Amino acid sequence: MRNTDLDMTRLATMDAAHANRLLHQVRAATLAGRRPPIAPRPVIDASWQRMFRLGVDPDRDTSSVLLEPDELEHRRRATVLGEVMRTLSGGLTEIADASLQIMVVTDAQGRVLWREGNAGVMRKANTICLEEGAAWSEDTTGTNAIGTALAARRPVQVHSAEHFVHTLHNWTCAAAPVHDPRDGQLLGIVDVSGPASSFHLATLALVNSVAQLAEAELRDRHLRTVERLRSVAAPILCRLTGRAVAVDLHGWTAAVTGMAPVDRLPLPKSFRAGRVWLPSLGMCTVEPLPGGWLVRPDEARPAETASRVVLDVSRPRRWTVAVSGPAGSWTQELSPRHAELLYVLARHREGRTAAELAADVFGDPTRTVTVRAEMSRVRRYLAGVLSHRPYRFSEEVEVEVVRPGHPADLLPHSSAPAVNEARLTGA
């Protein structure tokens, strides 16, 4: 067979026994350092390479130390995923049960918080430690839909011998990430798993659709929260002179006076009442409101200038930018796309045009509208250190990039040409 990339559509059209034999041959050849009869799918190949670098034993079992019951319950209460479990369960559990599979929901660390579905399959799942409180990140369990979706930040289906650890070769799984629409942070993973014989190409599309329904429900809940804050804040702002803005706990604007409205005011993690410096507004006085904050920028003092930026892309799933200057420092977590854009700008201090950034990130220089929209969002919290025409870090700002230990682990979710090039060159 020609050594071309394998894809799920092609796999689904094969006889099941032939497909399983082929996947085992691909895995065996790859683990032995030989050229496989057909190349593994790119998402699987990238995950296997991570396993090699992590030193994961392909013959290990998948057991992990389970969370204590009180810790499991604490994590369930702490995540907003609990608010949409009815949506996740209603969309997947009945189908999973009927198709001899189970639905699994994890947190952002890959810890299983809930599972439902076919009782017989749940008993089988116990033998591979796919149970509540277990760890299913890649570094614990090897290539699997939950862990690989966490690493790649996108929906992933893993079938049979595509699993790195041999113990999972009789299983198939499809997983999709669920993000918090308030701040874009990854909340966790929803997954459907079952015996390899239950493999179906449409499972991934179903799981991803239900994950998107859950995100839509969270978005509706958030909009209602902002409306309640607006009803409280509007009368207060009417009595104020000067600039003021009322935002929810995630920085989304509920009401504004004396200044141009923005959808969201980026807030540092350490945001609190009192005197606070914000990059887009300068020094502000912050007061608590029910479900949010009243922010009043100083009228007489200009915004302080930042002098140093630290872009941390060393971790596989969480990236930050830290800004410091005379007024203090603050840290902002980054979405996957913003991490890509800032990494490219940190590599090109001379600046990049919208077309160049589009080529760097999308491989398509015509996607300038998307780039401009994303850079507009970035500049809301980095207005003091980012310039445009071209987009670049300001010359007077010192920029440090904290990279992962191995170049190949840089932004593992990313398929951006500039990031791929950096992985190869180590730049």
Side-chain angles (χ1 to χ4, degrees), residues 14-166:
M14 295 180 184
D15 171 75
H18 174 60
N20 285 336
R21 283 196 301 272
L22 177 60
L23 291 175
H24 279 82
Q25 291 169 4
V26 170
R27 177 181 177 275
T30 302
L31 264 59
R34 303 191 307 268
R35 181 186 175 97
I38 187 169
R41 293 186 294 134
V43 66
I44 299 300
D45 183 55
S47 177
W48 286 355
Q49 296 306 316
R50 288 194 293 273
M51 299 308 97
F52 291 141
R53 292 192 295 275
L54 288 170
V56 175
D57 182 357
D59 295 318
R60 60 153 291 172
D61 61 28
T62 54
S63 61
S64 62
V65 178
L66 302 182
L67 295 175
E68 293 293 331
D70 57 343
E71 174 63 17
L72 175 62
E73 188 58 32
H74 169 73
R75 293 197 184 201
R76 285 173 170 172
R77 290 195 303 267
T79 177
V80 296
L81 284 173
E83 299 176 15
V84 291
M85 269 303 295
R86 181 175 297 181
T87 296
L88 296 173
S89 178
L92 291 174
T93 300
E94 185 175 342
I95 296 173
D97 189 4
S99 58
L100 302 180
Q101 298 185 93
I102 60 174
M103 180 200 72
V104 175
V105 178
T106 80
D107 63 14
Q109 287 72 50
R111 285 283 183 173
V112 177
L113 301 183
W114 293 277
R115 67 170 193 170
E116 300 175 358
N118 185 271
V121 176
M122 282 201 282
R123 287 193 293 271
K124 291 181 181 179
N126 290 340
T127 66
I128 59 169
C129 203
L130 184 55
E131 54 188 305
E132 291 173 348
W136 276 77
S137 57
E138 281 192 333
D139 56 350
T140 302
T141 321
T143 303
N144 70 91
I146 293 171
T148 304
L150 282 172
R153 292 292 181 113
R154 65 183 180 88
V156 175
Q157 192 163 18
V158 181
H159 178 58
S160 184
E162 290 186 319
H163 291 93
F164 189 78
V165 175
H166 182 269

Side-chain angles (χ1 to χ4, degrees), residues 195-278:
S197 57
S198 65
F199 167 73
H200 196 287
L201 184 63
T203 304
L204 183 61
L206 173 64
V207 172
N208 191 39
S209 295
V210 173
Q212 291 177 346
L213 282 175
E215 291 179 353
E217 181 179 340
L218 290 173
R219 189 175 297 109
D220 288 342
R221 288 170 178 259
H222 176 236
L223 290 175
R224 291 195 294 271
T225 300
V226 172
E227 285 296 328
R228 287 195 294 270
L229 176 59
R230 181 175 293 116
S231 66
V232 172
I236 297 174
L237 266 63
C238 286
R239 298 192 296 269
L240 297 178
T241 59
R243 296 183 297 162
V245 57
V247 298
D248 74 357
L249 299 176
H250 296 269
W252 289 93
T253 300
V256 63
T257 185
M259 54 192 290
V262 294
D263 291 337
R264 187 183 180 200
L265 183 65
L267 305 179
K269 253 192 167 181
S270 58
F271 198 66
R272 66 194 184 281
R275 298 284 293 165
V276 178
W277 179 75
L278 295 176

Side-chain angles (χ1 to χ4, degrees), residues 355 358-359 364-369:
D364 180 358
T366 67
R367 294 188 62 177
T368 55
V369 172

